[in-house]
Amino acid sequence: MTVLEAPSSVRNGTGRPADIRIDLRLVADMVEPGSRLLDIGCGDGQLLYHLTHEKNVDGRGIELSMDGVHRCVTQGLSVIQGDAETDLKDYPSGAFDYVVLGQTLQAMREPRAVLEQLVRIGRHAIVSFPNFGYWRIRVQLLLNGRMPVTERLGYQWWETPNIHFCTIADFVDLCRQCGVSIERTMILDRADRVVSHKHGRLANLLGEQAVFLLKRR
């Protein structure tokens, strides 16, 4: 009998599963136990592993990196190699209770099309992204006159995979245009603390990242 271990990112020194990243914990808290879920860009499977073992979720994943796929599969997770920009259209409508897109929207070539696919194939969509309207980013741009580099946006402009930066206000406007309802909002500060459950101007200024629970209107 083969014993499958959690990825190192979700294990502690005792060998038992450790707590997951705070932003992933917030995403996990939005998911109902026993639901069907698709995690897009699932990386090393940290969120999928947690949901499968802690909430009995029927989880699936898509990951662009073959290294990420391998790490997920060796943990017993159901993950395939794929590109969300081209492959989501092949999923039937309403195939999942939740579709998760974590910290990836800004790297999509066509984020609006991806958002529309999320709420088509899932009854709910959970989307998180770094907020380019965060006050520290504004200050860096104002004082230095150069594209900001932060802990979450740690690339120079010429090498970044993030090609569509957006602010919380931009994303809220996109949801409105696409007929997507925002059911829940969590705005996180630099220390991953929830500072607001609203998405107004103050949240757009103080939030370093945002997590949204969405549904087609």
Side-chain angles (χ1 to χ4, degrees):
M1 178 178 177
T2 302
V3 178
L4 299 174
E5 292 192 345
S8 58
S9 55
V10 293
R11 297 183 67 84
N12 56 30
T14 66
R16 296 190 300 271
D19 202 8
I20 61 176
R21 276 191 351 239
I22 294 176
D23 59 317
L24 295 182
R25 168 70 65 180
L26 295 174
V27 170
D29 288 345
M30 293 182 174
V31 177
E32 292 293 327
S35 56
R36 298 163 299 155
L37 178 140
L38 177 66
D39 188 1
I40 300 170
C42 55
D44 67 356
Q46 186 178 163
L47 177 63
L48 271 179
Y49 188 94
H50 174 80
L51 288 172
T52 300
H53 290 80
E54 298 297 324
K55 287 199 165 185
N56 196 30
V57 164
D58 180 7
R60 302 287 186 270
I62 302 178
E63 171 57 36
L64 189 60
S65 160
M66 280 305 302
D67 179 59
V69 173
H70 176 72
R71 283 185 287 171
C72 290
V73 171
T74 56
Q75 299 163 51
L77 301 174
S78 180
V79 174
I80 61 172
Q81 196 275 336
D83 185 343
E85 303 233 43
T86 58
D87 297 345
L88 291 183
K89 66 180 187 302
D90 298 327
Y91 287 89
S93 298
F96 299 93
D97 298 310
Y98 297 90
V99 179
V100 177
L101 184 68
Q103 303 293 325
T104 307
L105 185 68
Q106 72 280 357
M108 297 293 179
R109 293 186 300 274
E110 298 185 35
R112 175 170 181 159
V114 171
L115 177 62
E116 290 173 339
Q117 290 291 349
L118 298 183
V119 296
R120 180 187 67 81
I121 65 178
R123 294 194 304 111
H124 301 275
I126 302 174
V127 177
S128 65
F129 57 89
N131 174 33
F132 207 67
Y134 180 48
W135 72 268
R136 288 181 180 271
I137 292 178
R138 299 190 195 195
V139 170
Q140 280 194 37
L141 190 58
L142 176 65
L143 297 182
N144 300 330
R146 301 176 61 182
M147 289 299 291
V149 177
T150 68
E151 183 176 344
R152 296 191 188 280
L153 299 172
Y155 297 91
Q156 297 293 335
W157 67 269
W158 44 267
E159 63 177 353
T160 180
N162 302 312
I163 58 177
H164 285 295
F165 291 117
C166 74
T167 69
I168 292 169
D170 290 326
F171 182 77
V172 170
D173 185 59
L174 177 61
C175 289
R176 188 179 302 113
Q177 292 183 39
C178 294
V180 174
S181 294
I182 297 174
E183 297 190 302
R184 190 174 176 187
T185 301
M186 286 186 289
I187 308 300
L188 281 63
D189 66 7
R190 196 179 187 187
D192 287 335
R193 296 171 300 198
V194 178
V195 294
S196 178
H197 291 283
K198 299 180 180 180
H199 43 259
R201 291 185 178 181
L202 189 59
N204 196 33
L205 181 66
L206 299 180
E208 188 174 26
Q209 60 176 319
V211 182
F212 287 93
L213 178 64
L214 310 170
K215 185 177 183 179
R216 181 173 291 282
R217 193 172 301 159

